[in-house]
């Protein structure tokens, strides 16, 4: 029995050692985290704001997707039980509840530290547990013809300079652990990002190549975080810090 315990203890320590050496795979935890990218949403009240200014509330009855991105939603009127489909092309923004164990995690307690860099209009509704989706015209994986999708914003607390949207088809860096004993979680290897009028697919393997595109217009940021030193796991930190430098 003692030998078995010793074996797993050594294996655990070894895993931690590997984790410490592989610093490219774990997310940075020093500041705001990106919200999880959810795949499933509850059949509960949703809110849809159309491009014509109309707000529609009802029950999320069904979603249509392409490569993980939402292309349409069916909303049921709880009074009449009638269902109406709205295409992404009709919608400006949308709010959905995650379902089951995909329930929205608590947002950062440090949110008050970054009020000047936050989209404050989202605070109230996001704190109710909703995910926020914004209409974006995107070329999926930078290869397809641009099409309008409803994409989940994963950095609502620091999105004024660069908006980061979830990629539901993203691969995730490996987690490290023994059975249920998880030492380190992975991080998505790709996101969609919007800076100004440009939206593009950003993946881990091409992060350094896109450094100037994202951050090159801020000498202060470049001096603090040189291109040669950037690592994917700190993407959230870089966007947080970049936002501070350009919104002073």
């Amino acid at each position: 029995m003692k030998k078995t315990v010793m074996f797993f203890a050594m294996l655990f320590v070894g895993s931690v050692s590997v984790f410490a050496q592989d610093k490219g795979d774990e997310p940075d935890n020093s500041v705001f985290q990106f919200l999880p990218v959810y795949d499933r949403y509850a059949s509960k009240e949703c809110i849809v704001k159309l491009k014509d200014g109309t707000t529609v509330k009802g029950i999320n009855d069904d979603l249509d997707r392409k490569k993980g991105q939402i292309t349409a939603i069916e909303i049921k009127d709880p009074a009449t039980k009638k269902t109406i489909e709205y295409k992404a092309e009709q919608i400006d923004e949308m709010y959905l509840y995650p379902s089951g164990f995909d329930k929205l995690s608590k947002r950062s307690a440090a949110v008050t530290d970054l009020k000047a860099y936050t989209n404050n209009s989202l605070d109230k509704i996001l704190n109710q547990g909703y995910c926020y989706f914004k209409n974006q015209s995107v070329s999926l994986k930078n290869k397809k013809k641009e099409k309008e999708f409803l994409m989940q914003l994963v950095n609502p607390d620091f999105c004024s300079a660069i908006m980061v949207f979830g990629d539901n088809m993203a691969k995730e860096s490996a987690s490290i652990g023994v059975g249920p004993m998880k030492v380190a979680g992975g991080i998505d290897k790709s996101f969609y990002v919007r800076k100004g009028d440009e939206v593009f697919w950003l993946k881990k393997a091409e992060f350094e190549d896109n450094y100037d595109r994202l951050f090159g217009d801020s000498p202060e940021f470049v001096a603090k975080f040189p291109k040669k030193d950037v690592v994917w796991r700190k993407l959230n930190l870089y966007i947080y810090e970049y936002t501070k430098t350009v919104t002073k």
Side-chain angles (χ1 to χ4, degrees), residues 91-117:
I91 299 171
D92 179 41
E93 55 188 33
M94 177 173 72
Y95 303 84
L96 299 177
Y97 277 111
S99 66
F101 65 83
D102 273 349
K103 189 178 294 184
L104 189 63
S105 60
K106 186 177 181 181
R107 295 167 70 212
S108 172
V111 67
T112 54
D113 293 341
L114 201 60
K115 281 295 182 184
Y117 319 114

Side-chain angles (χ1 to χ4, degrees), residues 34 117 119 153-165 191-200 202 207 210-218 221 235-247:
F34 294 149
Y117 319 114
N119 187 338
L153 183 68
V154 299
N155 68 325
D157 292 323
F158 49 111
C159 64
S160 59
I162 297 175
M163 304 179 83
V164 183
F165 298 96
F191 295 95
Y192 286 90
V193 297
R194 180 183 187 111
K195 182 178 179 183
D197 295 328
E198 183 181 25
V199 186
F200 62 96
L202 177 67
F207 178 39
N210 284 284
Y211 174 93
D212 293 330
R213 190 178 189 181
L214 290 167
F215 311 120
D217 58 349
S218 172
F221 178 91
L235 179 62
N236 61 311
L237 170 65
Y238 300 143
I239 292 177
Y240 170 92
E241 292 289 346
Y242 173 82
T243 302
K244 289 199 296 183
T245 67
V246 298
T247 55

